[in-house]
Amino acid sequence: MKIEISPDYQYMTKELFDIPRMFDEEQGEIVYSGRNLVCRFTIQGIPVIAKRFKRVNFFQQIAYTFFRSTKAERAFRYAKIFRERGIETPHEIAFIEIKEHGLFTTGYFICTACPDPPAFPYLVPKEDYDKELAKDLITFIISMHQKGIIHGDLNFGNFLFRKSTSQTHYQFQVIDINRSVFFDTCPPKEICLKNLSTLTHRRDLFKFMVREYARQRGWSEEETLAHTTHYLEKLEQKHQRKEKIKQLLKK
C-alpha cells in the first residue's frame, strides 16, 4: 500500500492507514454509492470524506502503474492547484493506492468534509429553478475558466454552495476535481463552451446559464448558445448510442 499524507494532517496517520479496512468492514456513513463509493468518517473529532474509486480493469492497472497518475493522486495534487488559483475546494488530507501482484488496483482519496449542500437539488427541481443561484454559479465558472481551470466533470452535483446573512452572493466549493485540466491562461473559447455543455440536460436552465455566461464575457448570446447546444446534442447522441448497445447486449 502506498499512502501520502498532507503535512497539515500527519497527526491522523494511524487512522488514515485504516481507511481501506474501514471501507471493507462497511464502517462510516455512506454519502454516495455508485460507480465509486463515498463515505463520511470522523477522525480525532474531525469529519472527513473518503472516496474509494472503482477497482480498475487489467489494462487500466498497467496504465496507472507505469504510465499515468491515479485518480486518487490527481485529486490530492489538484486540490492544492485549485486553492493556489483562488478556487475553493475541500482540503486534501491523503491518498492511498492499493496494489496486487505489483499492479495498482484501487485508489482512495481523503479530504476535509464540507457541510454545504450541492447545487443540483436547487437547480433541477420540478418547479422553477433558483435564478440567483444559477447566475452566481455561472460567475464562479467564469472565474475558474479565467484562472485556467477546466473542470473535468462540470455538473451541479460537484458544486457545494452557501450564503450567509452577511453575503449578497452565493459562495462555492468545487469537488470531484481529478479529471480537471489546467491552462496557464484562460482556455480558448471553444474549450470553454464545450466544458459548459455538461452542465445540465434541462433546456430552459441550460439556455439561461449559457446566455448569462455569454453576457458576462461580452460574447454574442445567440452564437454562444448555438455552439454550446451543438456540443450538448453530441453528448446526448453519444449517450443514446451507449444505451442502445447496452440493450442489445442484454438480449
Side-chain angles (χ1 to χ4, degrees):
M1 181 174 77
K2 173 184 175 181
I3 182 170
E4 183 171 333
I5 304 172
S6 170
D8 295 334
Y9 295 93
Q10 291 291 325
Y11 66 91
M12 293 183 177
T13 295
K14 180 179 179 298
E15 293 88 348
L16 291 171
F17 268 91
D18 276 343
I19 288 292
R21 178 188 60 79
M22 289 192 287
F23 267 92
D24 291 341
E25 295 179 359
E26 299 182 352
Q27 297 182 23
E29 174 192 352
I30 295 177
V31 177
Y32 172 80
S33 180
R35 181 175 183 179
N36 306 307
L37 181 60
V38 180
C39 291
R40 181 182 284 107
F41 299 96
T42 300
I43 298 179
Q44 296 193 29
I46 305 297
V48 306
I49 293 294
K51 181 176 185 177
R52 182 176 69 186
F53 292 92
K54 179 183 177 183
R55 182 185 175 95
V56 298
N57 62 40
F58 176 73
F59 298 103
Q60 292 170 325
Q61 290 178 28
I62 298 296
Y64 285 129
T65 301
F66 301 107
F67 302 109
R68 62 178 307 191
S69 300
T70 64
K71 292 180 180 180
E73 180 177 358
R74 278 180 275 146
F76 181 85
R77 307 255 182 252
Y78 289 179
K80 183 178 179 181
I81 298 174
F82 269 71
R83 290 198 312 278
E84 288 175 344
R85 297 193 183 194
I87 301 298
E88 285 192 59
T89 188
H91 197 294
E92 72 283 3
I93 294 176
F95 76 91
I96 300 169
E97 296 176 353
I98 304 297
K99 290 186 176 181
E100 296 177 10
H101 309 294
L103 296 178
F104 168 81
T105 58
T106 311
Y108 298 80
F109 171 62
I110 305 95
C111 66
T112 54
C114 176
D116 302 328
F120 180 84
Y122 299 86
L123 288 175
V124 195
K126 293 181 180 179
E127 62 272 12
D128 291 341
Y129 54 84
D130 186 332
K131 289 188 176 181
E132 183 183 3
L133 177 58
K135 280 186 177 181
D136 285 352
L137 180 53
I138 277 297
T139 300
F140 182 75
I141 292 171
I142 289 173
S143 176
M144 288 176 58
H145 286 174
Q146 292 177 333
K147 291 174 180 179
I149 298 174
I150 293 293
H151 191 287
D153 188 10
L154 200 71
N155 69 73
F156 300 141
N158 288 332
F159 291 93
L160 311 179
F161 75 97
R162 65 186 178 277
K163 185 179 183 181
S164 68
T165 55
S166 62
Q167 294 172 328
T168 57
H169 293 281
Y170 289 102
Q171 306 296 310
F172 298 93
Q173 284 199 48
V174 61
I175 60 174
D176 201 8
I177 60 176
N178 61 278
R179 287 190 282 173
S180 298
V181 179
F182 303 99
F183 294 79
D184 293 333
T185 58
C186 185
K189 183 176 181 178
E190 288 301 314
I191 291 178
C192 293
L193 299 186
K194 189 173 184 180
N195 191 220
L196 290 178
S197 67
T198 63
L199 272 175
T200 180
H201 296 284
R202 178 174 171 170
R203 285 302 198 271
D204 58 340
L205 176 57
F206 182 79
K207 290 178 180 179
F208 176 82
M209 295 186 75
V210 171
R211 287 183 182 278
E212 181 64 22
Y213 183 96
R215 188 188 66 77
Q216 290 192 33
R217 296 207 63 175
W219 296 347
S220 164
E221 292 185 24
E222 295 304 321
E223 180 182 331
T224 301
L225 181 59
H227 276 70
T228 313
T229 301
H230 170 71
Y231 287 125
L232 172 60
E233 289 172 347
K234 288 182 67 175
L235 283 174
E236 291 175 337
Q237 290 167 5
K238 182 179 180 180
H239 176 73
Q240 290 170 1
R241 287 195 296 270
K242 284 185 176 180
E243 287 302 312
K244 286 181 180 179
I245 292 172
K246 287 180 181 179
Q247 294 301 320
L248 289 173
L249 293 175
K250 287 180 180 179
K251 293 180 179 180

